[in-house]
Each structure stands twice: as structure tokens, then as C-alpha cells.
Amino acid sequence: FKNVAGETMQAMVQTVNIAGNGNIAQSGLLPYTIGDEPVFTLTPDASWDLSELKVKEPEASELSKKRYAVQGQDESGNTIYTYKMDALKAGTTVLSYEFKETAYDVRLTVHYAMNSSSFSGFTPVTDISISYVRMSGGDGSAKTGTQTYNKSNISMEQEYALSLPAGKWTLTVSKPGYLDFVITDFIIKDDGTVEGDGTTNTKINT
């Protein structure tokens, strides 16, 4: 609404999901009274997390990042977040938020077949690379990448860690002088547990 002078006399909040899977309790273009401090509840889907929340006030030129609080968990174990807005000004305030997939720390133990020449001079172990391709699951998007490691000690057993979200993966371990070792159907479930070779441990907080 506008008064006779043309000044906006109502406060509005426009919620915008920038990316990712999750829900906000109130969505769309919402009317409020000037000075209200509405509280918004956001719940990511399973294996997702709230990564960012920004607000743009009516007279502001850009969005500003805001802090939000953890309220608890729903019946499915998904984290519930809350954000209390500052006193609303006349006009439209934009509340934008973004969800991203939860990443898990995947630890792989690789056993090497070594001959006596491998230990000559105790030279450092050559670089190893682990390539990963998500075949299905998660948010349905294809994810690929390669991570390279260098181990400075000689050992017939080495442990490597990389972070991956939920889905069915193919992992390829490559090392000079060795045949590639391929792990297929390596499944990380929404709760971080796995099927196939390997284990996952601590959730990575971002």
C-alpha cells in the first residue's frame, strides 16, 4: 500500500531458493507489518545442508550474508535451522538461501604388492591419484574429479581420504608402476553409511 505521498506503507518478504534441496516454512512473497521480526524455519532434505543465507533490505544495493541458528532435528533426523529477521522496513526485503549436498570423509586403505627394489634407498612413494565418478543417486547430477596424494614413507599399506556426497560411485586408484584398481558400485547412503569396499567416517562441516 502507498500513502497519498506515494510512500510504501507495508513490509514484504520475498523468499528465494538459490539452489539445492530443502524447504522453508513460509515461501513466496509474504506481507508483514513494518517493524515485524519474522522467524523463518528451514529444513534441508536428507543428505543436504543449509550452506548460506543472505538478506537484501529494500534500500540496499546487494545481499548481505547472515548467521542462522540450529533449532534441532525433525522426525527423519534432518537438521532444522531458524533465522530471525531484523525489524522489517517499508518495501520488499529479499531472503535468499542455498542448500548443498552433505560431504562425507571417505577413507580408503590400499594394499600394495612390493618387491625388494621398492625399498632400495627408501625413496619417497610416488604420487597416487584417485578419480571418482558418480553414476547415480544424490541430487541426480554427475560429479567427477581427481585427487592426488603423495606419501613420503614406504609402506605396503596406505590410507587415503577424500570427501564425497551421497550416491553410487566408481573410484579408480592410479599409481605409476601399478595397474589401475577400480572400485565399482561404491554406495554412500544419505546417512553417510556405505555399501561396497571402504568406510566413511566423520561428516565434514562447512
Side-chain angles (χ1 to χ4, degrees):
F1 299 96
K2 294 185 177 181
N3 63 10
V4 292
E7 181 182 354
T8 301
M9 298 299 292
Q10 187 178 24
M12 308 286 291
V13 174
Q14 175 70 64
T15 63
V16 180
N17 184 352
I18 300 299
N21 297 347
N23 298 291
I24 187 168
Q26 311 100 311
S27 62
L29 184 61
L30 308 169
Y32 291 94
T33 300
I34 295 173
D36 281 353
E37 299 178 357
V39 177
F40 288 85
T41 301
L42 303 97
T43 307
D45 287 354
S47 78
W48 288 78
D49 204 358
L50 180 62
S51 64
E52 193 169 71
L53 186 148
K54 292 183 176 181
V55 171
K56 180 180 177 294
E57 295 186 341
E59 302 302 322
S61 59
E62 60 184 20
L63 293 159
S64 59
K65 192 171 183 179
K66 300 295 183 180
R67 297 178 65 88
Y68 44 86
V70 176
Q71 176 179 309
Q73 293 184 325
D74 63 13
E75 62 277 3
S76 299
N78 301 320
T79 302
I80 301 173
Y81 297 92
T82 58
Y83 172 68
K84 181 178 180 181
M85 302 193 73
D86 295 334
L88 296 176
K89 300 176 182 178
T92 300
T93 299
V94 177
L95 171 63
S96 70
Y97 50 94
E98 181 175 352
F99 300 105
K100 71 174 183 179
E101 289 187 276
T102 301
Y104 297 94
D105 185 9
V106 179
R107 300 187 182 276
L108 302 176
T109 300
V110 179
H111 301 270
Y112 295 103
M114 293 186 175
N115 54 39
S116 59
S117 62
S118 302
F119 294 92
S120 178
F122 293 96
T123 55
V125 174
T126 53
D127 288 348
I128 182 175
S129 64
I130 299 178
S131 300
Y132 48 89
V133 179
R134 182 160 65 182
M135 310 306 293
S136 63
D139 66 352
S141 65
K143 288 188 181 296
T144 63
T146 300
Q147 191 161 330
T148 301
Y149 310 79
N150 180 269
K151 296 287 188 178
S152 60
N153 62 302
I154 294 293
S155 175
M156 293 181 66
E157 180 178 297
Q158 297 283 3
E159 184 179 85
Y160 305 95
L162 65 160
S163 58
L164 298 173
K168 179 186 289 187
W169 298 84
T170 294
L171 308 178
T172 302
V173 182
S174 301
K175 182 179 177 66
Y178 293 84
L179 295 175
D180 286 353
F181 182 74
V182 180
I183 304 171
T184 59
D185 296 335
F186 181 84
I187 299 173
I188 304 175
K189 299 179 181 179
D190 288 344
D191 62 1
T193 58
V194 302
E195 295 178 2
D197 297 328
T199 59
T200 65
N201 293 328
T202 307
K203 173 181 174 181
I204 297 176
N205 297 313
T206 58

